Amino acid sequence: MECKKEELKNSQFETFFYETVNGERLAYYAFFPSVTPKSLIFCIHGGGWRSCSAECLFMQAAYFARCGAVAVSIDYRLLNETIDVRDGLYDCSVALSSVRKMVKEKYGKEFPTVALGDSAGGYYACCLGCQKILNAVNPSVKIADVIIDLNGIVDLTGKWNYAIAGEKDEALLRSYSPLYNVSKGDATVYIAHGDNDKTVAIEDAERYRDALNKQGVDNRYVVVTGAAHAFILFDYTHTDTFVQEQIENIARYLEEQNLL
């Protein structure tokens, strides 16, 4: 299905609250297909873990719903003096469990789960497909089936070490880095990274691909020619046409996997 920004604006969604922490109600926003869905697509926004909101991926979620998936975009706690990515990842895991429950109640069955994330959201998506990391955060939650990693952060040991609060212990940073925790049985991963990304190094994506290959985890690695960071976002660094093409490329991959 062709992706057209203007047709996706003002798409209808339903709001669900999945968690309340210190008085803050956290929500996910669900876009439903007009047909029986083939999958659940769980969208996680970026923003360096410090900014942005679920609304950043509303149009993307609306598009996937039009293609035949239940698609949600979630909010999670952002970093501050007392919150780090372990808290945000816990929120993502609780949201994932809540969404799965909602979908099962609505349709009477479970569907394969696709976790899609952009940048810092890509980090969370990769973690939701990584059994070792998810077990450390919320072992009651089953990993996602497929990960769509869009210029995601996979290594916390370098410039992204602010993600973990307090003393920068190398072992701790590695233990929450998808790059160092790939294991057999982890989710299938689709990696797309721009060759003009000045924010997250494309070399990290290549190392992540190599780690997946080493453990025999199914993956596809796509270099997006000319793409800067966050190429999946409208009204950011690329034209609507370029963004639409990238979203359609993801849809084609999901169709190949019988998920759309």
Side-chain angles (χ1 to χ4, degrees):
M1 178 181 292
E2 189 175 1
C3 179
K4 295 182 179 180
K5 174 186 172 182
E6 294 304 318
E7 294 180 1
L8 298 173
K9 287 182 177 179
N10 303 315
S11 295
Q12 296 299 305
F13 59 85
E14 294 184 30
T15 303
F16 298 83
F17 294 97
Y18 69 88
E19 184 181 25
T20 301
V21 184
N22 296 326
E24 181 182 359
R25 299 177 77 195
L26 298 174
Y28 65 84
Y29 307 87
F31 298 78
F32 295 102
S34 59
V35 298
T36 301
K38 288 187 174 182
S39 64
L40 161 62
I41 300 183
F42 188 82
C43 301
I44 314 171
H45 72 84
W49 305 297
R50 291 168 164 165
S51 62
C52 300
S53 69
E55 189 173 358
C56 293
L57 295 178
F58 273 12
M59 285 188 283
Q60 291 79 355
Y63 171 75
F64 291 122
R66 291 190 179 197
C67 292
V70 176
V72 306
S73 187
I74 75 161
D75 278 325
Y76 53 84
R77 284 176 289 173
L78 302 176
L79 267 59
N80 61 28
E81 294 79 6
T82 60
I83 294 170
D84 69 19
V85 294
R86 290 170 290 187
D87 302 295
L89 179 54
Y90 178 79
D91 295 342
C92 291
S93 72
V94 173
L96 180 57
S97 181
S98 178
V99 172
R100 282 171 165 163
K101 180 180 178 182
M102 178 274 291
V103 169
K104 186 174 182 180
E105 289 175 350
K106 183 176 179 68
Y107 294 99
K109 60 181 291 188
E110 296 181 353
F111 297 95
T113 302
V114 178
L116 178 152
D118 168 59
S119 189
Y123 167 81
Y124 285 138
C126 291
C127 289
L128 291 178
C130 177
Q131 193 66 68
K132 288 181 181 178
I133 294 178
L134 193 55
N135 279 345
V137 174
N138 194 345
S140 67
V141 178
K142 182 179 70 172
I143 64 171
D145 298 287
V146 175
I147 305 305
I148 305 296
D149 167 25
L150 306 174
N151 46 247
I153 297 164
V154 294
D155 185 0
L156 302 185
T157 64
K159 65 183 283 190
W160 307 106
N161 65 12
Y162 70 82
I164 299 289
E167 186 176 349
K168 306 306 178 188
D169 178 80
E170 182 81 6
L172 179 62
L173 292 167
R174 289 175 69 97
S175 71
Y176 282 93
S177 297
L179 175 64
Y180 303 110
N181 290 281
V182 177
S183 61
K184 187 176 179 63
D186 281 355
T188 296
V189 185
Y190 175 97
I191 306 168
H193 210 104
D195 62 4
N196 194 34
D197 193 326
K198 307 301 183 186
T199 302
V200 178
I202 194 170
E203 289 79 11
D204 284 356
E206 293 168 351
R207 291 195 295 150
Y208 186 43
R209 173 205 59 197
D210 293 345
L212 293 165
N213 287 336
K214 184 176 181 179
Q215 294 298 324
V217 176
D218 185 40
N219 68 90
R220 183 176 300 180
Y221 177 62
V222 177
V223 176
V224 185
T225 304
H229 192 64
F231 56 81
I232 199 69
L233 300 183
F234 288 108
D235 304 317
Y236 192 56
T237 55
H238 289 287
T239 65
D240 291 350
T241 299
F242 188 91
V243 174
Q244 288 163 177
E245 288 175 355
Q246 308 318 310
I247 296 172
E248 290 169 7
N249 287 339
I250 295 167
R252 279 190 284 272
Y253 169 78
L254 294 174
E255 287 173 353
E256 290 175 17
Q257 308 303 312
N258 199 32
L259 295 169
L260 287 180

